[in-house]
Amino acid sequence: MAIDLTLAWALLLAFAVFTYVVLDGFDLGLGILYPFFPKKQDRDLMMNSVAPVWDGNETWLVLGGGGLFAAFPLAYAIILPATYPLIVAMLLALIFRGVAFEFRWRAGRPFSAWVWDGAFIGGSTLAALCQGMILGTLLQGIEVEGRAYAGGWWDWLTPFTLLCGVSVVAGYALLGACWLNIKTEGGIQARARVAARVAGLATVAGIVGVSAATPFLETAYFERWLAWPGILEVAIVPVLVAALTLWLARALTSGKGPDWLPMLLALGLFLLCFAGLGVSMWPYVIPPAVTLQDAAAPESSQMFMFVGAVVLVPIILAYTAYAYWVFRGKLDPDEGYH
Amino acid sequence: MDSFLGLDATILARIQFGFTVSFHFIFPAISIGLASYLAVLNALYLWKRDATYLRLFNFWVKIFAISFAMGVVSGIVMSYQFGTNWSGFSDKAGPVVGPLMAYEVLTAFFLEAGFLGIMLFGRRKVGPGLHMLATLMVAVGTAISATWILSVNSWMQTPQGFGMNEAGQFIPEDWWAIVFTPSFPYRLAHTLTAAYLTTAFIVGGTGAWHLLRGHGHNPGVRTMFSMAMWMIVVTAPLQVMVGHEHGLNTLEHQPVKIAAMEGHFESHPDGAPLILLGLPDQAAGEMRYEISIPHLSSVIFGLGWNGAMEGLDVVPDAEEPPVAVIFWSFRVMVGLGFLMVGAGLWGLWARWRGALYATPMLWRAMVAMGPSGLVAVIAGWITTEVGRQPYVVYGQLRTADAVSPLGASAVGWSLIAFVVIYFTVFGAGVVYLLRLMSKPPELNEREGPDEGPIRTAGLTPHQMVEDGQAGDGQAETGRGAPRPAE
């Protein structure tokens, strides 16, 4: 029973983190794309497309952090000090982009409007970069002694973590562009598709780079990915990535098919990356030192929360879906201003 | 031990937590009260069909949106502070407090965030009934959030219902006992009442400002001032009573904290005096220049004229919290509390004489007291949190054993980053809030309650915040006026 509960929490947290990436990914992506849409009316439209839902999206990050704290307190207590500067930078970046949603409309002068646009761009990009680097730090392994982080203060800064960071920035930009493709029409939609192609190329390059580097970080990764005969099973992940990439390229260049198709395919790519990450890390929560079991909270804690989560998460998904439904459809640029 | 500007990592981590949480709490203190106020305004509007309530709703909802956004982003910081700076606490107490905070996310944060968009931008899209429901859900969410986080805090103050494992972790044994610790009901009541009172003074102060500026003919201004004055005259005395009960509870469970609040360095076996003012000298263990009323402290605590009260002399020096901070923050809170009661009574008297809208002295006093709730709330939190020292989990886990294994410079530099960014970003936010408050609530005559086309496509969130306008009825009014930013 205890084993099942820990596994259940691992899956639930993976679900929370993936939902966060899916939802906040595209709205951070809009911030990353802002420099390529300099016209004020395009920017207004982009921000309006997520204004009613962004705090809900960010709440999944709180659930990811809070859930890790609750279900795997040891992992939380090691990962956060190990990635301290990245976490602090990410939080401060999220402050800048979060307040920009409100402050941008309050700014009295062009200069302060420009400042809050800059805060939205810088905050979104830095938050995405930090999230990718945190992932990279985790993947490359964290030094642990006893029950605490034992590494140095710059361990999180390596070419590998930077590669992960840049890849996540590209990936979020892809999601942002696919979101715009759904929500807009005309010229801005055409430019969104161009942006999606560029960001898509960069994302796939990032996926290839990170995947190529990962097996050489730890012998366990190498054996899991490249040893015979396991390679036959795990090879399905890269094969599917290649297939989805080709499909996405076709969907974006042909312009045919429903507007939501590129988004769906991009999310498919993210899901595969997530699965690949699971293959690499299992059964560790902090490779190569701490397994999920080591870090698990006592059964009484996991059970107490699990009962609530099973009931509440479907309800949350239902009303979140409702909120998206209320604000569905193409944005009408004429609605925003005259 | 390394240090940064002469401070060690533990004290820097404490300053960082104290700074970020104090800044954060300003926004929930506003949004808890304001969310309920907005729900009341919207309900009154739907019930009485009086456009004044809609005008007030549209005025305050913009202010709510900004303070809520600042609360969200400063709150995300808090959910990670436990891990970054307090990993010892996270590892050891995580099994107990983690699930409570996870419940806060699941039952409150998602509820607020999920319905906020509909509350702010959806009146026309979903109709009045569902919009009212969304507004109510946001208000309920803020209260649920307060409930869970105060349950966590109360457990840290009066812990129970746990065991210990060999790794030194707190293991939950009785969740009912953990959620409902002895100090929890008092702390929750005191904090929620504080949030309502804080909001009442902000609303009342804003109304008073517009009355002073000659907007007394504006029914929105009159209504907000009147509603706030009613709220104050009820909640301010209530808060004094709740605070008193909370104090009795603290005496029972954390007598050392009470000794520090009262400034009792020595035990008083024959009745303790109420020290009104003085200079605490903790090193010497005495109160200098004390002005006190004999026996009154014992009487207030219900111990009788000669009731014995223990002082700080009964505990070793290492168990004492820093007295001066607590002594003064407590007096600031209590002093403001009595001023609030006075303001409420003055308002009642003016109303009874029919002079609520003809007493500029009252208005000036209310403008001056506009931020008094915020100051009192922060002072109160300082009293209770510093009063728990040197423990983070009272009597169980010392603050010094809870801190992360970080270098002082890492904590120091991040503290500087937080301070600089909080003051600039939230400073700008406060300027925007004040700018919104300083414009009187206007009602465009054509901004009919139910007139105008129902919007069928697109979303127009920023219209909600267009100056002097609000989402409802935007379709045909004020569209020609460009925003200042354009």
Side-chain angles (χ1 to χ4, degrees):
Chain A
M1 185 65 206
I3 291 174
D4 292 345
L5 211 49
T6 298
L7 179 63
W9 268 106
L11 292 174
L12 197 69
L13 280 183
F15 175 75
V17 172
F18 186 68
T19 310
Y20 171 73
V21 169
V22 169
L23 295 179
D24 215 28
F26 74 74
D27 76 45
L28 287 165
L30 293 184
I32 297 165
L33 293 174
Y34 242 44
F36 307 104
F37 292 83
K39 275 200 291 188
K40 177 168 164 30
Q41 68 190 72
D42 290 349
R43 290 185 168 187
D44 288 354
L45 200 64
M46 288 164 80
M47 204 175 259
N48 284 348
S49 76
V50 290
V53 293
W54 74 270
D55 335 76
N57 296 348
E58 246 164 47
T59 307
W60 291 93
L61 181 66
V62 184
L63 182 63
L68 189 67
F69 181 25
F72 301 98
L74 181 62
Y76 179 83
I78 292 170
I79 295 171
L80 269 62
T83 54
Y84 191 80
L86 293 173
I87 299 270
V88 172
M90 175 189 79
L91 295 171
L92 293 173
L94 288 175
I95 289 177
F96 277 106
R97 74 174 299 270
V99 298
F101 279 99
E102 288 296 330
F103 291 4
R104 195 166 175 272
W105 309 111
R106 296 273 120 238
R109 285 180 295 273
F111 172 73
S112 46
W114 178 82
V115 166
W116 295 121
D117 275 3
F120 191 58
I121 295 166
S124 303
T125 310
L126 182 61
L129 185 75
C130 290
Q131 287 173 7
M133 290 180 75
I134 291 165
L135 178 68
T137 308
L138 196 59
L139 206 51
Q140 74 180 6
I142 289 174
E143 208 177 308
V144 177
E145 221 175 86
R147 298 179 72 83
Y149 175 58
W153 301 117
W154 296 96
D155 287 10
W156 51 272
L157 186 63
T158 63
F160 179 73
T161 59
L162 279 170
L163 175 65
C164 292
V166 172
S167 305
V168 167
V169 172
Y172 284 179
L174 171 64
L175 292 178
C178 292
W179 170 257
L180 279 183
N181 185 45
I182 296 174
K183 298 299 286 185
T184 61
E185 302 169 291
I188 182 168
Q189 187 189 29
R191 269 175 296 138
R193 294 172 85 96
V194 174
R197 266 178 267 165
V198 177
L201 270 177
T203 306
V204 172
I207 293 173
V208 171
V210 172
S211 306
T214 301
F216 303 98
L217 292 169
E218 299 274 348
T219 44
Y221 297 165
F222 187 89
E223 283 167 13
R224 195 152 299 160
W225 284 107
L226 298 175
W228 195 262
I231 192 169
L232 291 177
E233 285 171 32
V234 296
I236 189 156
V237 177
V239 168
L240 283 174
V241 167
L244 278 186
T245 303
L246 290 174
W247 194 0
L248 179 63
R250 260 177 65 99
L252 285 172
T253 45
S254 76
K256 291 187 195 120
D259 286 343
W260 45 260
L261 184 63
M263 182 62 143
L264 195 69
L265 297 171
L267 290 178
L269 279 178
F270 268 82
L271 190 62
L272 287 170
C273 294
F274 222 66
L277 201 64
V279 169
S280 296
M281 284 177 58
W282 177 264
Y284 292 97
V285 60
I286 305 175
V290 183
T291 63
L292 288 164
Q293 279 302 329
D294 296 337
E299 194 185 336
S300 54
S301 303
Q302 292 191 335
M303 191 48 134
F304 176 66
M305 269 185 304
F306 192 72
V307 174
V310 166
V311 177
L312 292 165
V313 170
I315 296 174
I316 290 165
L317 288 172
Y319 62 65
T320 304
Y322 174 71
Y324 273 86
W325 174 252
V326 166
F327 297 101
R328 70 192 176 278
K330 297 279 184 192
L331 291 156
D332 179 355
D334 292 331
E335 281 284 335
Y337 31 77
H338 261 290
Chain B
M1 183 153 240
D2 68 335
S3 67
F4 180 84
L5 302 177
L7 300 168
D8 69 43
T10 304
I11 192 75
L12 286 164
R14 284 181 60 194
I15 294 170
Q16 186 172 119
F17 198 90
F19 177 79
T20 51
V21 81
S22 300
F23 236 108
H24 168 65
F25 197 75
I26 288 173
F27 305 115
I30 297 173
S31 51
I32 290 169
L34 217 45
S36 298
Y37 184 51
L38 286 166
V40 168
L41 286 172
N42 201 53
L44 283 171
Y45 164 64
L46 293 178
W47 179 33
K48 298 194 168 173
R49 292 275 141 196
D50 177 348
T52 304
Y53 295 114
L54 178 64
R55 178 197 297 213
L56 284 177
F57 179 90
N58 289 336
F59 177 83
W60 285 105
V61 82
K62 295 179 232 167
I63 290 158
F64 176 78
I66 293 184
S67 82
F68 190 87
M70 292 196 279
V72 168
V73 292
S74 61
I76 297 175
V77 172
M78 298 324 301
S79 73
Y80 284 85
Q81 276 273 314
F82 297 105
T84 48
N85 288 345
W86 300 99
S87 64
F89 172 78
S90 300
D91 176 27
K92 295 184 180 99
V96 171
V97 303
L100 302 183
M101 289 201 247
Y103 266 109
E104 184 184 15
V105 180
L106 291 170
T107 58
F109 291 167
F110 278 112
L111 195 66
E112 296 170 69
F115 286 99
L116 182 74
I118 296 172
M119 173 188 176
L120 296 181
F121 312 123
R123 189 192 285 275
R124 293 257 164 194
K125 284 184 179 289
V126 299
L130 277 173
H131 178 259
M132 180 70 231
L133 180 75
T135 307
L136 204 58
M137 286 298 117
V138 172
V140 169
T142 59
I144 296 175
S145 166
T147 305
W148 285 112
I149 203 66
L150 285 160
S151 176
V152 171
N153 184 266
S154 299
W155 182 83
M156 290 164 68
Q157 301 274 358
T158 52
Q160 64 175 24
F162 62 89
M164 286 278 189
N165 72 3
E166 62 281 5
Q169 286 181 303
F170 294 85
I171 304 300
E173 283 173 356
D174 179 352
W175 280 106
W176 188 264
I178 288 168
V179 175
F180 296 97
T181 53
S183 62
F184 169 60
Y186 301 95
R187 200 179 306 279
L188 178 63
H190 199 39
T191 310
L192 284 180
T193 314
Y196 291 128
L197 201 49
T198 299
T199 307
F201 271 93
I202 290 171
V203 173
T206 306
W209 168 263
H210 293 302
L211 287 170
L212 279 170
R213 306 259 293 194
H215 294 293
H217 58 277
N218 183 326
V221 169
R222 292 163 78 105
T223 304
M224 81 164 87
F225 187 65
S226 170
M227 288 176 88
M229 294 313 291
W230 275 125
M231 189 73 184
I232 290 165
V233 81
V234 175
T235 45
L238 180 73
Q239 180 69 325
V240 171
M241 285 187 276
V242 171
H244 175 65
E245 293 298 319
H246 190 16
L248 296 183
N249 179 267
T250 307
L251 180 66
E252 188 182 340
H253 297 281
Q254 297 176 303
V256 178
K257 187 192 283 185
I258 290 290
M261 285 156 68
E262 295 288 295
H264 291 158
F265 284 103
E266 287 158 21
S267 297
H268 297 276
D270 309 315
L274 181 71
I275 300 172
L276 297 175
L277 288 174
L279 277 184
D281 184 342
Q282 193 160 9
E286 63 176 345
M287 185 65 66
R288 298 188 191 281
Y289 313 111
E290 128 180 0
I291 303 169
S292 59
I293 303 171
H295 297 278
L296 191 56
S297 186
S298 292
V299 172
I300 287 174
F301 282 102
L303 303 168
W305 185 255
N306 287 325
M309 285 184 80
E310 289 184 335
L312 291 164
D313 52 358
V314 303
V315 295
D317 287 356
E319 300 282 305
E320 284 180 11
V323 177
V325 176
I326 303 164
F327 181 81
W328 284 112
S329 64
F330 180 62
R331 270 149 195 73
V332 168
M333 177 186 76
V334 171
L336 285 172
F338 281 107
L339 278 177
M340 291 174 183
V341 173
L345 292 175
W346 189 359
L348 193 66
W349 187 60
R351 195 191 299 269
W352 182 65
R353 285 177 48 243
L356 194 60
Y357 308 114
T359 315
M361 278 306 289
L362 172 64
W363 305 340
R364 282 193 198 99
M366 282 302 296
V367 170
M369 286 191 71
S372 61
L374 292 170
V375 177
V377 161
I378 299 296
W381 275 112
I382 289 172
T383 307
T384 196
E385 296 297 280
V386 177
R388 185 186 49 197
Q389 300 303 324
Y391 292 99
V392 62
V393 180
Y394 192 68
Q396 303 290 334
L397 178 63
R398 282 180 175 272
T399 308
D401 300 327
V403 76
S404 292
L406 291 167
S409 59
V411 188
W413 280 113
S414 61
L415 174 61
I416 288 174
F418 275 115
V419 171
V420 170
I421 289 173
Y422 273 38
F423 274 108
T424 48
V425 172
F426 297 132
V430 169
V431 168
Y432 294 142
L433 284 179
L434 292 175
R435 208 184 273 172
L436 281 174
M437 288 181 197
S438 69
K439 290 191 185 115
E442 293 298 349
L443 177 72
N444 190 315
E445 286 310 312
R446 284 178 300 154
E447 189 179 298
D450 289 315
E451 293 142 29
I454 306 271
R455 210 172 279 127
T456 51
L459 57 144
T460 54
H462 73 268
Q463 288 186 352
M464 187 277 304
V465 289
E466 268 187 77
D467 294 323
Q469 298 286 347
D472 214 357
Q474 276 291 307
E476 78 266 60
T477 60
R479 301 298 297 281
R483 278 186 311 284
E486 290 183 89

